[in-house]
């Protein structure tokens, strides 16, 4: 008996026919369920798993889960032993399971057990012909089938309505297809260029499945990037131009993560004619990221592109890709969504015309969307990882070879790209699936029969149950095999009558295309097009007679047009067979429709328009029906930041001196994100409490903020602090480890967490080996903070005046970088926050490149970090004055003294003063404040240049002991680099604060008060969201010094 039926066994058979009824049915409490993970058989390369060992362990903590069975597999990315260690039972027989999970459909339908519930990517929801035998097997064997593709935010009614309403899929493989697809395109590009006589570094990029993991993949692409940057591409070649489609989607994001590693310049469509005219050695590649308005236009109209109209009436548009982009691009990486309603990006005819005109620049297509004969019509079939591409001849319009040659277009269409990064993609996927499973299990064992408690994500994710298709998928009946004799054997003609909004919707064009694609002829017998009445469109009708060489083609046409009618609900079409044969009348008005009231527009107020703001606004501004307003003191900055959002506004104001206006804006907002200096947060928080508006900040909680806790609680206002990099990700990554240890009965004995924002190694090219992307005052102030930590049960207190002298080499991670670490504030505050009472070591530190603290300590001893008056002096005079005041005749002796006799530090300090031009006649920029003048020098001389990138590092170590004498040492590392869009610091702070804002907006029921991201219900969804942005920790654990295992976990 399948799982849902187990909970509904006391209800009538009628309740089992429609999933919305079955899920609402009650049950007696106290049941448990058995889950199972089936072995993947669809493709030999499929190594993913729907749940990873850590997800299994989490589920087994649920008392409602009796056990989890895992079918043994030696090809799965996680071993059988790892699942056994997590508590699963590894066995061949899954017949005892209530719900069986897989990634892909099995190779043979007979692999599915009768009377069971299954979750998988079944690939039946579009009526894919090759999978209809699977669907028929499901119905014939009373199998309940859930499809991950239909688990969407708020539930869905049918695939058509889901796509039209752009509902968010909750269980998917995110960016991994894009990451793998873009990587896999580089080697065939190199081979194609080699066939043309050009040797390039692209040849040396192996496909994604040959990389150890995502980190190794990035390192490989970086090495190729450095090769191109230093040596360049052959001067005889034209510039290499990549075109990426699907902007705004997960596939496109993954593609751009790889492309951004290459030395590149992003150009617009209008720049392309000039780009391809460039000559000489190229040390970069070019990329154009196209949107719908770049490649489609309304037929017969020169009006500006209207995206809303395009989404509602895509059939009214045509592609201009073949004229505006294809003549200039060398590589097309396609990640756009497509179905029958939409115009193709490029057709075979258009590609043929380009070649006939002598334009052969487009040499490689990486179709990640993988729609056969879809948006890129040249993709005539899917490819596989063993043979990922074929050669297409545009002149004869067909595939001509399975190997790369110098002519034609190399086409790649691998349909299981995420499995090329199996570990990371499985961890990510399972993390998304886990809460859905937990909701379903908890609902079923609770005995609650109220429909209000049904997990909405699953209400319409069930395709079949009780031997029947569910309401949202009854249209699939037309794709299943029809009974023999349905069309009279003696008759090979059919007459179809269609009535609806046939022309406005474009349905009639698609229907006639279907007839032609099935090699049949047709005749329009009658056509009545009615004019609008009182401005309201009226239905038209068409009678079409079809002639076919065989009966099966007639049946196939009828099925496919029926599917079109179901998908294109705006046509409101009815179809009948008038010749006495075929299906019963198909009336879409009788099909269930799902009308969802549009949600209220969310309003977010962002205070501050500094460097971190743009990434935050870009992230928050991606969603529909969301307005993001940026308030900043500098109009140009505020305007620029606001433009990162799809619906962005800006206001120019002095927040500190115009709190009345700020308070008014807060009252009009759903949530406020303050990126202002921390000293201003209490005033903003008071206004938020008064206006009952939630507040998010990335800053440390202060005593002033803590004093507002009770007020905020009383008013139900959430004040969420410390959601940046440090503080923020440090809490969340640490607590993910610590909470896991505590849940297994462990005790934390040692805890270390370090973090640093640095120039990337190639950009660390000054004596300080440090650069500033904003005012250096914060960095200099931090150099003088007092610090407290515990080491071997001894409390160590460091006076801020001597903090820089306490720096020590850091070797726990990234030894090649030669780092040092400084104690960071009061580490003992985290003993309570993290629940690690009694730990022998508690240390939090700041990372710098080795030597930074020595030089800065000398500068501190000189007096450069003090706010003293140096009116009218040059830098040489100011330092001479400090030197004489200390009683030294020479600068060398003074520096040697300030370096406490360390000659290397003294020499490096002297070199740095010379580099900063502080040994000459330049006057101080702020004569009455020496440290402010010093900051201006650092900001000017140690700034990031164009194309230089920063780097953020974070490392956490946790040592724990367990009652059975087992000891575990956990390590968690994060290394993020900036790119052409955002700095690493901007991403790790801005994206984190934005993800936290989304969590507050989604969870209106959370109680008010001062919050930190130290509880699972906060840090888990934030970390899950950040994983989709490529912010991933590498985690490892050493158990009892004998057993070492390693995994990469998306945060």
């Amino acid at each position: 008996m399948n799982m849902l039926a187990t909970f509904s066994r006391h209800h009538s058979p009628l309740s089992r026919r429609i999933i919305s009824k079955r899920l609402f049915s009650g049950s007696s409490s106290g049941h448990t369920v058995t889950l199972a993970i089936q072995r993947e058989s669809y493709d030999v390369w499929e190594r993913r798993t729907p749940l990873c060992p850590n997800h299994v362990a989490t589920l087994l903590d649920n008392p409602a889960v009796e056990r989890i069975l895992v079918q043994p597999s030696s090809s799965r990315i996680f071993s059988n032993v790892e699942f056994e260690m997590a508590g699963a039972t590894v066995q061949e027989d899954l017949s005892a399971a209530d719900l069986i999970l897989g990634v892909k459909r099995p190779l043979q339908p007979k692999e599915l057990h009768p009377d069971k519930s299954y979750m998988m990517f079944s690939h039946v929801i579009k009526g894919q012909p090759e999978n209809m035998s699977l669907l028929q097997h499901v119905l014939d064997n009373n199998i309940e089938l859930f499809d991950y593709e239909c688990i969407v935010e708020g539930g869905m009614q049918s695939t058509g309505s889901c796509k039209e309403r752009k509902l968010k899929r909750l269980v998917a493989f995110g960016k991994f297809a894009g990451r793998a697809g873009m990587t896999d395109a580089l080697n065939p590009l190199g081979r194609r260029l080699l066939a043309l006589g050009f040797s390039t570094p692209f040849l040396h990029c192996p496909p994604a499945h040959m990389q150890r993991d995502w980190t190794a993949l990035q390192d490989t692409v970086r090495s190729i990037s450095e090769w191109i940057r230093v040596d360049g591409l052959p001067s005889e070649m034209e510039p290499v131009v990549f075109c990426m489609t699907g902007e705004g989607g997960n596939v496109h994001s993954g593609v751009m993560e790889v492309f951004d590693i290459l030395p590149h310049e992003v150009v617009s469509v209008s720049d392309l004619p000039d780009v391809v005219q460039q000559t000489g050695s190229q040390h970069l590649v070019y990329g154009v990221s196209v949107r719908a308005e770049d490649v489609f236009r309304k037929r017969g109209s020169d009006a500006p592109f209207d995206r809303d109209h395009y989404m509602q009436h895509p059939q009214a548009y045509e592609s201009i890709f073949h004229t505006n982009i294809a003549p200039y691009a060398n590589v097309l990486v396609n990640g756009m969504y497509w179905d029958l309603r939409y115009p193709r990006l490029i057709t075979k005819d258009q590609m043929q015309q380009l070649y006939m005109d002598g334009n052969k620049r487009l040499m490689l297509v990486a179709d990640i969307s993988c729609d056969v004969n879809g948006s890129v019509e040249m993709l005539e079939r899917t490819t596989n990882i063993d043979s990922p591409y074929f050669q297409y001849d545009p002149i004869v319009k067909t595939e001509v070879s399975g190997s790369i040659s110098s002519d034609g277009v190399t086409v790649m269409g691998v349909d299981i790209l995420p499995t090329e990064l199996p570990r990371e993609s499985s961890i990510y996927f399972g993390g998304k699936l886990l809460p859905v499973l937990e909701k379903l299990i908890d609902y079923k064992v609770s005995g609650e029969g109220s429909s209000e408690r049904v997990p909405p994500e699953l209400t319409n994710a069930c395709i079949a149950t009780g031997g029947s298709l569910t309401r949202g998928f009854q249209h699939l009946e037309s794709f299943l095999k029809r009974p023999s004799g349905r069309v009279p054997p003696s008759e090979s003609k059919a007459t179809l009558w269609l009535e609806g909004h046939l022309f406005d919707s474009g349905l009639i064009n698609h229907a006639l295309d279907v007839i032609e694609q099935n090699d049949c002829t047709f005749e329009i017998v009658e056509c009545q097009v009615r004019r609008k009445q009182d401005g309201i469109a009226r239905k038209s009708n068409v009678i079409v007679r079809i002639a076919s060489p065989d009966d099966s083609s007639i049946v196939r046409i009828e099925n496919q047009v029926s599917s079109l009618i179901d998908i294109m609900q705006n046509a409101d079409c009815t179809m009948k067979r008038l010749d006495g044969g075929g299906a019963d009348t198909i009336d879409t008005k009788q099909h269930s429709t799902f009308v969802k009231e549009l949600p209220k527009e969310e309003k977010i107020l962002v205070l501050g328009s500094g460097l971190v703001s743009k990434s935050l606004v870009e992230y928050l501004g991606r969603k529909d029906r969301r307005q993001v307003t940026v308030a900043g003191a500098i109009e140009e900055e505020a305007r620029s930041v606001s433009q990162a959002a799809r619906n962005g506004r800006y206001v120019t104001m002095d927040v500190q001196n115009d709190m009345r206006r700020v308070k008014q804006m807060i009252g009009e907002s759903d949530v406020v994100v303050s990126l202002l200096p921390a000293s201003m947060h209490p005033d903003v928080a008071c206004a938020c409490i008064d206006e009952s508006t939630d507040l998010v900040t990335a800053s440390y909680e202060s005593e002033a903020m803590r004093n507002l806790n009770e007020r905020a609680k009383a008013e139900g206002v959430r004040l969420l602090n410390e959601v940046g990099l440090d503080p923020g990700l440090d809490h969340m990554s640490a607590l993910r480890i610590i909470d896991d240890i505590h849940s297994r009965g462990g005790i934390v004995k040692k805890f270390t967490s370090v973090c640093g924002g640095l120039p990337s190694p190639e950009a660390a090219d000054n004596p300080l080996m440090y650069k500033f992307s904003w005012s250096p005052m914060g960095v200099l102030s931090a150099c003088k903070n007092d610090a407290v930590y515990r080491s071997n049960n001894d409390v160590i207190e460091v006076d801020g005046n001597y903090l820089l002298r306490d720096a020590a080499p850091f070797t726990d991670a990234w030894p090649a970088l030669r780092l040092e670490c400084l104690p960071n504030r009061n580490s003992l505050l985290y003993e309570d926050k993290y629940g690690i009472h009694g730990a022998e070591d508690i240390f939090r530190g700041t990372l710098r490149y080795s030597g930074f603290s020595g030089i800065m300590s000398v500068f501190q001893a000189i007096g450069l970090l003090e706010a003293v008056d140096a009116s009218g002096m040059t830098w040489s005079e100011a330092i001479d004055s400090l030197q004489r005041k200390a009683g030294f005749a020479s600068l060398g002796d003074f520096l040697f003294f300030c370096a406490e006799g360390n000659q290397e530090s003294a020499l490096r300090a002297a070199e740095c003063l010379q580099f900063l031009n502080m040994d000459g006649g330049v006057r101080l920029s702020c004569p009455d404040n020496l440290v402010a003048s010093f900051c201006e020098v650092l900001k000017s001389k140690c700034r990031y240049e164009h194309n230089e990138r920063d780097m953020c590092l974070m490392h956490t170590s946790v040592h724990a002991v367990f009652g059975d004498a087992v000891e575990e040492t956990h390590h968690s590392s994060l290394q993020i680099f900036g790119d052409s869009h955002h700095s690493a610091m901007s991403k790790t702070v801005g994206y984190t604060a934005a993800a936290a804002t989304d969590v507050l907006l989604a969870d209106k029921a959370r109680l008010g008060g001062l919050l930190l991201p130290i509880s699972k219900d906060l840090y888990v969804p934030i970390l899950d969201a950040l994983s989709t942005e490529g912010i991933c920790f590498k985690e490892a654990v050493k158990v009892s010094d004998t057993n070492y295992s390693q995994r990469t976990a998306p945060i």
Side-chain angles (χ1 to χ4, degrees), residues 858-1043:
V858 173
F859 290 166
Q860 182 182 18
I862 289 174
L864 297 179
L865 274 59
E866 303 301 323
V868 297
D869 190 354
S871 298
M873 294 186 182
T874 64
W875 274 112
S876 179
E877 292 168 344
I879 292 174
D880 184 64
S881 172
L882 294 169
Q883 168 192 316
R884 285 186 285 103
K885 186 176 179 180
F888 290 91
S890 73
L891 178 60
D893 290 341
F894 183 38
L895 293 178
F896 190 72
F897 170 78
C898 291
E900 295 187 312
N902 187 316
Q903 187 172 4
E904 181 181 357
S905 293
L907 288 173
R908 289 188 65 176
E911 179 189 2
C912 192
L913 287 173
Q914 186 176 18
F915 168 79
L916 296 173
N917 199 23
M918 292 171 61
D919 58 349
V922 178
R923 295 197 175 276
L924 275 66
S925 57
C926 305
D928 59 343
N929 192 324
L930 186 62
V931 68
S933 297
F934 185 42
C935 284
E936 289 300 313
V937 172
L938 292 174
K939 187 175 180 180
S940 171
K941 303 293 286 186
C942 299
R943 67 178 186 270
Y944 285 94
E945 300 295 338
H946 180 62
N947 286 334
E948 286 187 336
R949 57 183 185 157
D950 67 333
M951 173 180 69
C952 288
L953 302 175
M954 182 175 286
H955 183 81
T956 300
S957 297
V958 183
H959 183 80
V961 297
F962 294 80
D964 54 2
V966 171
E967 298 187 9
E968 293 181 355
T969 302
H970 294 255
H971 295 282
S972 174
S973 301
L974 174 70
Q975 183 177 32
I976 298 292
F977 291 92
D979 53 40
S980 60
H981 301 292
H982 302 297
S983 68
M985 186 63 69
S986 179
K987 285 192 283 189
T988 52
V989 175
Y991 282 169
T992 304
T997 304
D998 269 349
V999 171
L1000 286 193
L1001 286 169
D1003 183 5
K1004 300 294 186 183
R1006 184 183 301 278
L1007 297 177
L1010 189 69
L1011 305 176
L1012 299 179
I1014 57 176
S1015 60
K1016 280 187 178 180
D1017 57 344
L1018 278 174
Y1019 71 70
V1020 168
I1022 295 174
L1023 296 180
D1024 283 347
L1026 291 177
S1027 70
T1028 67
E1029 305 303 322
I1031 301 177
C1032 297
F1033 281 90
K1034 185 176 182 181
E1035 296 182 353
V1037 57
K1038 186 177 181 181
V1039 182
S1040 298
D1041 295 324
T1042 59
N1043 183 25

Side-chain angles (χ1 to χ4, degrees), residues 107-182:
L107 185 60
Q108 299 296 334
K110 64 183 180 181
E111 295 177 47
L112 300 180
H113 292 269
D115 303 314
K116 295 293 179 185
S117 292
Y118 279 85
M119 268 191 180
M120 67 179 78
F121 285 111
S122 64
H123 299 293
V124 301
I125 64 174
K126 294 182 181 179
Q128 293 94 319
E130 65 274 18
N131 293 327
M132 288 301 96
S133 60
L134 172 76
L135 183 57
Q136 191 65 58
H137 181 85
V138 165
L139 298 174
D140 292 345
N141 289 273
N142 192 35
I143 292 170
E144 187 166 54
L145 178 61
F146 291 87
D147 197 301
Y148 301 128
E149 194 169 354
C150 306
I151 302 175
V152 297
E153 198 170 54
M156 60 177 278
Q157 192 65 29
S158 71
T159 54
S161 59
C162 173
K163 294 301 182 185
E164 286 172 3
R165 287 158 42 229
K166 296 297 181 184
L167 295 181
K168 178 183 178 183
R169 284 175 56 186
L170 298 181
V171 183
F173 281 99
K175 300 179 179 180
F176 298 98
R179 291 174 174 177
M182 180 63 192

Side-chain angles (χ1 to χ4, degrees), residues 369-387:
S369 296
C370 210
D371 291 309
V372 174
N373 298 127
S375 59
V376 178
E377 197 178 16
M378 290 178 287
L379 183 68
E380 297 184 319
R381 61 176 176 87
T382 60
T383 60
N384 55 55
I385 296 173
D386 281 320
S387 302

Side-chain angles (χ1 to χ4, degrees), residues 141 259 282 301 316 565 570 611 977 986:
N141 289 273
F259 180 79
Q282 301 287 331
S301 172
I565 291 171
N570 59 332
L611 294 176
F977 291 92
S986 179

Side-chain angles (χ1 to χ4, degrees), residues 262-368:
L262 297 171
H264 68 277
E265 180 178 343
V266 175
V267 298
S268 66
V269 173
S270 61
D271 294 329
L272 291 175
D274 293 331
V275 168
V276 299
Q277 296 302 319
Q278 297 185 33
T279 58
S281 180
Q282 301 287 331
H283 292 260
L284 49 72
V285 298
Y286 295 88
V288 57
S289 186
V290 300
R291 298 161 295 181
E293 50 262 48
D294 296 319
V295 294
F296 298 119
R297 70 181 176 194
K298 192 174 181 181
R299 288 192 180 94
S301 172
D302 293 326
F305 184 86
D306 184 337
R307 184 173 184 83
D308 289 338
H309 187 269
Y310 169 73
M311 296 303 295
Q312 294 171 14
H313 307 283
Q315 67 282 349
Y317 288 75
E318 62 183 0
S319 174
I320 52 175
F321 180 86
H322 62 294
T323 59
N324 290 13
I325 299 173
Y328 311 106
N330 305 114
V331 181
L332 167 61
V333 185
N334 185 37
M336 65 182 288
Y337 173 79
W338 185 85
D339 64 34
L340 286 171
R341 298 168 297 167
Y342 291 87
R344 287 189 169 94
L345 183 68
I346 186 165
T347 66
K348 290 181 177 182
D349 289 340
Q350 290 166 348
M351 196 66 223
Q352 182 189 54
Q353 190 60 52
L354 279 171
Y355 259 57
M356 293 178 68
D357 291 342
N359 188 311
K360 299 183 179 182
R361 281 200 178 94
L362 185 58
M363 61 181 71
L364 174 67
V365 172
D367 195 346
I368 301 174

Side-chain angles (χ1 to χ4, degrees), residues 3-4 6-7 25-34 62-66 98 437-449 453:
M3 183 180 70
L4 292 180
T6 299
F7 298 118
S25 60
S27 66
S28 57
S29 59
H31 287 293
T32 59
V33 296
T34 295
N62 188 335
V65 179
E66 182 177 351
D98 300 300
L437 283 178
E438 289 178 329
K439 286 181 181 179
L440 177 62
I441 293 166
D442 290 345
Y443 168 75
K444 283 302 164 184
V445 300
S446 68
E448 295 289 339
R453 295 177 59 86

